[in-house]
Amino acid sequence: MKVIKFGGTSVGTAQKLKDAAAIINSYQQKDKVIVVISAIGGITNKLISAIDEAVHGSNKYSEIFWEITTVHHNYIDELFAADKRESVKSEVDSTLARLKEKLDGVRLLHHAAPKIIDQIISFGELLSQKILAEYLKSDGLNAVVYNAADFIKTDSNFGDANINFEITNEKVRIVFIGQKRNEIAVVNGFTGSNKYGDITTLGRSGSDYTATIIGAALKVDSVDIWTDVDGILNADPRLVPSAETIDEISYEQTIELSNLGAKVIFPKSLLPVKAENIPVKVLNSFNPDFAGTTITDETQNTSKDVLVVTSLDNVSIVTISNLPLYNSLEVVSRIYNLLSSAQLNVVSTNFNHHLRVLSLIINQKDLDKTINLIESEFQFVPESDFIKNIEIRNDAGIVSLLLNNSANVRQIINSASSSLSDLNISYRFINNFGSNTVQLAVKNSDIGKIVSNLHGVFFGTNQKANVA
Ligand code: ASP
Ligand code: MG
């Protein structure tokens, strides 16, 4: 049995949805299959903008609603024979009517509580799910719609809900135990519900999570994530056109990679499958015969020291020095707590106890919030002079090398720095002792140059590689 998931771009046009259906069909011939589907690419963002307009009292929200309607109607026109179109449209229209009611309500109140936002943004998947299921049926397949809110049970942390695995696993097993061999289950990704039945969402890009939760509960053979690239690549192909697919990578390395800036898979989604040791495959729906990447525990890729060169752009480096002599550790832990309760995503931190210096690497968009939090936390605390000279470096980027466990870190740093010395750029290694990464703080504008240089060094795609 398999769970397969299609992302928004994999159903980004009617033709792509047809291609996805062909892939689904080929799975179904071999095995029982559960399909998890994302919203059509761009729809979730449109829903968020519609809420935003309605909250601000702008009627632009109804224009956006019509854009959403048109996208889905166009799919129906392209996918279905004339005699079928009206019935599919009327089904989709009744879902759209419920969406419109909610948006009208937000416009009326000029307010959208987190609970309402989740209800509204879950509509993208309800719509794509209907269209896909109807299309599979019109192709003679036995597709059955399953509503994720019936079995993905969460807390009430709207927008980023946490799964109650005990209840969810049991419900998933009960719901799918009766699935027939020829039945294709079609599940809306991204969505769950709390104990009162209110709709919750699992975080942006959370459809991967829906797939792995179901896969782990049912202990399937694999969870296959169909996306628009050839698996996990050893560099961002926009920066390095010669980037290559990694055949195998571990769950931990993949999570680490997501933290380092590579948008691979929704990081939390690897936890349930890791616990059951279920492989996750990342496959390209535009190149379906390609083997892609397998994420598992037993990776074979020990021949290479560096697995991936990756980067994060638009970060700020915040350096707080002169921390108080006697309780610097306490100050640092208060800062960590502040940032984590504000749910700020910290890219990396480094605390030098001896020098009493803390540096934080954060996304540039979070800079003001971070500084305000720290300043207001310590403004009336004695011996808090350190908040007066916080040093900020903007327009920075982080380039990271993800290493194999057995790699010689010293040697890698040497090769990297000797190659970069020719580039006439400034950079600084970030001290992250004991981790399986080498990281450099760089200027945002130098990221491309550095990534392609290092890719050349470690993956032998340019002259330098041989020298190094
Ligand atoms: N449609 C949702 C989003 O765009 C979930 C997903 O795509 O996985 O975030
Ligand atoms: Mg999406």
Side-chain angles (χ1 to χ4, degrees):
M1 183 174 198
K2 293 209 161 96
V3 176
I4 63 180
K5 178 253 171 181
F6 290 87
T9 49
S10 293
V11 291
T13 63
Q15 181 55 47
K16 287 175 182 166
L17 188 143
K18 284 187 193 176
D19 298 342
I23 295 172
I24 295 168
N25 195 352
S26 70
Y27 273 92
Q28 196 278 323
Q29 316 225 328
K30 291 175 224 134
D31 219 342
K32 238 202 254 181
V33 64
I34 297 172
V35 181
V36 174
I37 177 97
S38 294
I40 289 172
I43 294 295
T44 311
N45 286 341
K46 281 193 199 295
L47 290 165
I48 291 170
S49 331
I51 297 169
D52 204 45
E53 297 290 347
V55 164
H56 292 101
S58 151
N59 286 330
K60 211 173 159 233
Y61 82 94
S62 59
E63 267 170 52
I64 301 173
F65 171 78
W66 285 111
E67 286 169 23
I68 294 171
T69 303
T70 308
V71 168
H72 292 92
H73 281 183
N74 288 345
Y75 268 64
I76 297 170
D77 289 339
E78 277 192 58
L79 291 171
F80 298 94
D83 60 335
K84 188 83 191 27
R85 273 175 214 153
E86 287 319 306
S87 73
V88 180
K89 257 185 208 166
S90 85
E91 244 197 86
V92 164
D93 283 350
S94 74
T95 304
L96 284 163
R98 286 194 288 131
L99 167 63
K100 183 69 169 38
E101 262 172 28
K102 304 216 184 269
L103 287 170
D104 289 341
V106 172
R107 166 70 179 83
L108 195 68
L109 299 171
H110 286 213
H111 180 71
K115 178 163 145 175
I116 306 300
I117 296 177
D118 272 12
Q119 285 179 18
I120 294 176
I121 65 177
S122 75
F123 270 86
E125 276 73 12
L126 291 176
L127 294 162
S128 59
Q129 176 191 36
K130 279 224 162 62
I131 292 177
L132 176 67
E134 286 304 323
Y135 181 71
L136 292 170
K137 281 193 227 168
S138 74
D139 215 18
L141 296 165
N142 179 20
V144 178
V145 163
Y146 286 80
N147 189 357
D150 293 340
F151 47 85
I152 303 284
K153 298 305 287 185
T154 72
D155 65 6
S156 299
N157 191 24
F158 296 102
D160 188 21
N162 301 296
I163 307 298
N164 181 332
F165 278 99
E166 214 178 304
I167 301 180
T168 300
N169 288 343
E170 193 186 324
K171 285 196 183 277
V172 168
R173 286 175 201 138
I174 293 169
V175 165
F176 291 100
I177 198 156
Q179 188 190 356
K180 304 220 170 47
R181 170 62 185 87
N182 76 339
E183 174 190 319
I184 299 171
V186 181
V187 179
N188 51 327
F190 184 46
T191 309
S193 69
N194 68 8
K195 66 176 171 192
Y196 307 107
D198 299 317
I199 297 295
T200 55
T201 61
L202 313 183
R204 289 306 306 273
S205 306
S207 297
D208 294 339
Y209 203 13
T210 310
T212 60
I213 293 164
I214 298 172
L218 298 175
K219 303 194 197 309
V220 297
D221 306 320
S222 75
V223 175
D224 296 0
I225 307 286
W226 288 90
T227 171
D228 57 353
V229 286
D230 276 339
I232 301 177
L233 305 183
N234 60 17
D236 180 343
R238 285 165 304 182
L239 301 178
V240 183
S242 62
E244 294 161 326
T245 300
I246 302 169
D247 302 335
E248 284 192 340
I249 188 167
S250 73
Y251 301 108
E252 275 98 357
Q253 286 164 335
T254 310
I255 294 172
E256 181 105 63
L257 207 50
S258 305
N259 296 335
L260 300 176
K263 276 217 169 89
V264 177
I265 190 168
F266 187 70
K268 265 197 274 184
S269 67
L270 291 174
L271 301 176
V273 275
K274 179 176 184 299
E276 297 292 339
N277 213 348
I278 296 169
V280 174
K281 292 184 189 157
V282 183
L283 299 159
N284 188 355
S285 64
F286 309 148
N287 185 13
D289 294 330
F290 190 75
T293 299
T294 304
I295 307 171
T296 95
D297 251 344
E298 310 112 39
T299 62
Q300 310 292 321
N301 56 17
T302 40
S303 61
K304 280 207 163 70
D305 282 344
V306 176
L307 290 175
V308 186
V309 185
T310 183
S311 60
L312 260 175
D313 55 10
N314 297 312
V315 300
S316 297
I317 303 174
V318 176
T319 309
I320 308 174
S321 3
N322 287 323
L323 290 168
L325 195 51
Y326 296 108
N327 65 345
S328 63
L329 201 56
E330 188 196 320
V331 169
V332 170
S333 76
R334 264 169 88 170
I335 294 176
Y336 286 166
N337 280 335
L338 272 180
L339 301 178
S340 84
S341 23
Q343 302 206 341
L344 288 171
N345 187 11
V346 179
V347 176
S348 110
T349 70
N350 184 259
F351 171 47
N352 187 320
H353 199 187
H354 178 65
L355 298 175
R356 287 180 287 123
V357 176
L358 172 70
S359 53
L360 302 169
I361 300 177
I362 55 175
N363 291 314
Q364 202 159 308
K365 65 173 175 41
D366 295 333
L367 179 66
D368 290 345
K369 193 169 175 192
T370 303
I371 299 294
N372 288 339
L373 280 172
I374 296 172
E375 285 178 349
S376 53
E377 174 82 3
F378 293 101
Q379 62 181 329
F380 300 122
V381 176
E383 284 194 75
S384 292
D385 282 352
F386 61 88
I387 59 172
K388 296 203 187 90
N389 40 36
I390 296 177
E391 188 193 309
I392 294 163
R393 201 178 129 193
N394 268 325
D395 300 314
I398 305 293
V399 174
S400 308
L401 303 172
L402 178 67
L403 312 182
N404 245 319
N405 298 348
S406 56
N408 180 335
V409 180
R410 200 66 265 160
Q411 211 174 317
I412 299 215
I413 290 180
N414 287 343
S415 318
S417 36
S418 82
S419 170
L420 292 175
S421 65
D422 295 353
L423 282 185
N424 197 21
I425 44 155
S426 63
Y427 65 89
R428 182 163 66 75
F429 282 103
I430 299 170
N431 173 5
N432 47 359
F433 222 49
S435 92
N436 269 323
T437 62
V438 168
Q439 291 186 287
L440 295 86
V442 304
K443 266 198 250 143
N444 220 9
S445 52
D446 288 335
I447 289 177
K449 254 190 282 179
I450 295 176
V451 169
S452 68
N453 180 281
L454 293 179
H455 189 268
V457 174
F458 295 107
F459 297 98
T461 42
N462 68 12
Q463 281 297 321
K464 272 221 114 26
N466 306 327
V467 180

